[in-house]
Amino acid sequence: MSTNIDSWQNLRDELKNSLQFKLGAVTKTVFKKMNAELVNEGIPVLAEQLPILMVVYFQEQARTQQDIANILQKDKAGIQRSVQTLHKDGFLKIESDIEDKRKNLISLTPSGKFVCEQIQSLAIAFNNQIMEHFTEQEWTTFLGYLDRVVKVVDK
């Protein structure tokens, strides 16, 4: 019986320290803190929506929802829900593609552009708050490890 309990505890500890759980915990914590910062600054956007806004912001021309999904490596349905919400909130403009009526082109509204500029400053400050606790070498090494994990998983 004791061996069974020890086995379960070892498995629990192993899972708790697994890459998936650690990355999940970091993501949850970072998004929670970022959402609080966005609310504090009066920016009515969720941290989960930021990548979509930033992809559209940094593109020179309007993008399709599929383009955004491909760039972010997310499923089109999830992107579509967020695009609709951001459109309803007045940050994104959705227009039919002249060449292919089945596609929608996504671009920023003036409000969306303004919010993206606010978010950039906030994101940089947030990143700097975290970096204060690491040396430059530690931060570079950490980012390198994350890049390496992506390469290993994408094989």
Side-chain angles (χ1 to χ4, degrees):
M1 185 80 140
S2 168
T3 308
N4 225 4
I5 292 172
D6 290 343
S7 179
W8 281 106
Q9 287 176 334
N10 288 340
L11 180 59
R12 186 192 71 202
D13 290 343
E14 194 174 323
L15 284 173
K16 201 167 73 175
N17 290 315
S18 71
L19 178 66
Q20 304 91 310
F21 279 42
K22 288 291 185 184
L23 288 177
V26 168
T27 300
K28 181 181 174 186
T29 304
V30 167
F31 276 45
K32 184 178 176 183
K33 178 69 173 169
M34 190 66 186
N35 281 329
E37 300 261 342
L38 289 164
V39 167
N40 191 43
E41 293 295 319
I43 300 171
V45 174
L46 295 174
E48 294 83 351
Q49 297 168 324
L50 297 183
I52 294 169
L53 285 172
M54 290 297 133
V55 163
V56 177
Y57 179 75
F58 287 112
Q59 300 302 310
E60 297 198 8
Q61 74 250 14
R63 290 288 181 177
T64 66
Q65 290 172 169
Q66 187 62 58
D67 290 339
I68 296 167
N70 292 345
I71 291 167
L72 295 176
Q73 298 180 338
K74 303 257 183 183
D75 68 294
K76 187 178 173 183
I79 296 296
Q80 187 173 16
R81 284 189 298 277
S82 291
V83 164
Q84 290 298 327
T85 300
L86 291 165
H87 171 68
K88 191 172 53 178
D89 292 343
F91 301 119
L92 292 179
K93 183 171 31 172
I94 303 173
E95 298 173 306
S96 291
D97 187 341
I98 295 169
E99 296 172 13
D100 186 348
K101 297 291 183 198
R102 296 172 297 169
K103 295 180 181 178
N104 289 324
L105 296 175
I106 312 302
S107 59
L108 289 174
T109 63
S111 295
K113 185 175 180 180
F114 178 75
V115 158
C116 284
E117 289 166 356
Q118 288 181 300
I119 289 168
Q120 282 184 84
S121 300
L122 190 65
I124 290 167
F126 183 77
N127 195 60
N128 289 341
Q129 285 176 348
I130 294 168
M131 286 178 59
E132 288 175 2
H133 301 277
F134 297 89
T135 66
E136 190 172 332
Q137 180 61 45
E138 288 172 328
W139 191 249
T140 301
T141 301
F142 174 67
L143 294 178
Y145 286 145
L146 291 176
D147 289 340
R148 200 156 120 203
V149 168
V150 169
K151 286 179 186 172
V152 168
V153 172
D154 272 352
K155 280 185 178 181

